[in-house]
Amino acid sequence: MGSPPAPRPTLQSAWNLYVAHWRTYLALQLTLLALALVSVLISLLITFIAVAVTAGVSADLREGVTQLVSSVLNLPFSLLYQLLAGLVGVLISALPALWFATGHHPLYREGLALLRSDPRRYLLAGLLASLAGGFGILLCLIPGLIVMALTPIYVRRVFTTDEPIWPAFLNCFRDLFSSPHSWGLVGYELLSLLLIAISALFCLVPLLVTVPLAAIFIQQYLAAWQIGEPPSEEVSAAPV
């Protein structure tokens, strides 16, 4: 099936797509919550082990040594959590991107199958975006904000084309700065952040709706104005 005509980017049309696939987005977010809970439990267990291991250390040094042992033991689990949470979390933005590119909205299991089909590509893409954003913020706040602004474009290119990671990242800058609708994209991203921030004030539960709704909203805008539009021959097939 070809990609559907991109609707005019409005909250109502984004809401319609969310309602049609809310189970998939809920499953993704519950998976993220489960990963976070497991990470916290592992961290608590490691802290308990570190306290037991350092029980014989003198009182003056015990706290520092305990923290060091706990940090070292927890490091691999923390990195694993970050990798898994990043992979699952990016699907919230990638699935609507695939819908607007292919006309097929993957289900929860299809999204996970897509990640398993080429984990190296998606891990490297996420690592590149994270490093670029981190260095941008450390060196100068504005480059970091620019990387954050183009991240939805990057997600669209990585998941809907076979374009190599580095060229896809560089092309996102071209997409962002050459499009006459770039300022509109930034405005929509700020509006989405505001929507998420307001919803977070209500016991965090509304985030189960507002986070995927914001992701759909932004991908809808990109599709409507063809920002980061993949060449037709590069559009990837619907995942299985």
Side-chain angles (χ1 to χ4, degrees), residues 9-34:
T10 64
L11 278 175
Q12 181 61 55
S13 52
W15 172 255
N16 292 341
L17 183 58
Y18 169 78
V19 169
H21 301 281
W22 68 269
R23 291 179 180 84
T24 294
Y25 293 107
L26 180 60
L28 288 173
Q29 291 175 98
L30 291 179
T31 301
L32 290 173
L33 179 60

Side-chain angles (χ1 to χ4, degrees), residues 133-151:
F135 280 121
I137 291 176
L138 287 175
L139 298 176
C140 181
L141 182 62
I142 294 179
L145 294 177
I146 290 175
V147 172
M148 292 173 64
L150 61 77
T151 296

Side-chain angles (χ1 to χ4, degrees), residues 4-208:
R8 183 169 176 264
T10 64
L11 278 175
Q12 181 61 55
S13 52
W15 172 255
N16 292 341
L17 183 58
Y18 169 78
V19 169
H21 301 281
W22 68 269
R23 291 179 180 84
T24 294
Y25 293 107
L26 180 60
L28 288 173
Q29 291 175 98
L30 291 179
T31 301
L32 290 173
L33 179 60
L35 288 173
L37 290 175
V38 170
S39 178
V40 169
L41 291 175
I42 291 175
S43 180
L44 291 174
L45 178 61
I46 288 175
T47 299
F48 177 78
I49 293 173
V51 170
V53 168
T54 58
V57 179
S58 64
D60 294 339
L61 300 175
R62 185 177 304 155
E63 182 178 354
V65 174
T66 299
Q67 290 180 352
L68 177 60
V69 172
S70 178
S71 298
V72 171
L73 292 178
N74 195 51
L75 180 61
F77 296 101
S78 178
L79 291 176
L80 179 61
Y81 166 71
Q82 294 294 333
L83 289 175
L84 293 176
L87 284 173
V88 175
V90 77
L91 287 176
I92 296 175
S93 182
L95 297 190
L98 285 164
W99 160 249
F100 290 117
T102 69
H104 173 74
H105 191 292
L107 301 176
Y108 172 73
R109 291 188 177 183
E110 291 177 317
L112 297 183
L114 175 63
L115 295 178
R116 291 194 299 269
S117 69
D118 195 354
R120 181 175 176 273
R121 172 178 175 82
Y122 302 122
L123 283 172
L124 290 177
L127 180 62
L128 176 58
S130 298
L131 290 176
F135 280 121
I137 291 176
L138 287 175
L139 298 176
C140 181
L141 182 62
I142 294 179
L145 294 177
I146 290 175
V147 172
M148 292 173 64
L150 61 77
T151 296
I153 307 174
Y154 186 46
V155 170
R156 188 175 192 224
R157 282 189 168 274
V158 167
F159 279 87
T160 64
T161 78
D162 295 323
E163 190 175 17
I165 297 301
W166 181 245
F169 183 72
L170 295 180
N171 285 334
C172 289
F173 287 91
R174 182 200 64 196
D175 296 333
L176 184 65
F177 291 109
S178 66
S179 173
H181 303 287
S182 295
W183 283 110
L185 171 62
V186 174
Y188 270 53
E189 289 177 330
L190 292 175
L191 180 59
S192 298
L193 288 175
L194 178 62
L195 175 68
I196 291 173
I198 293 174
S199 69
L201 300 176
F202 299 92
C203 301
L204 301 179
V205 174
L207 291 176
L208 295 175

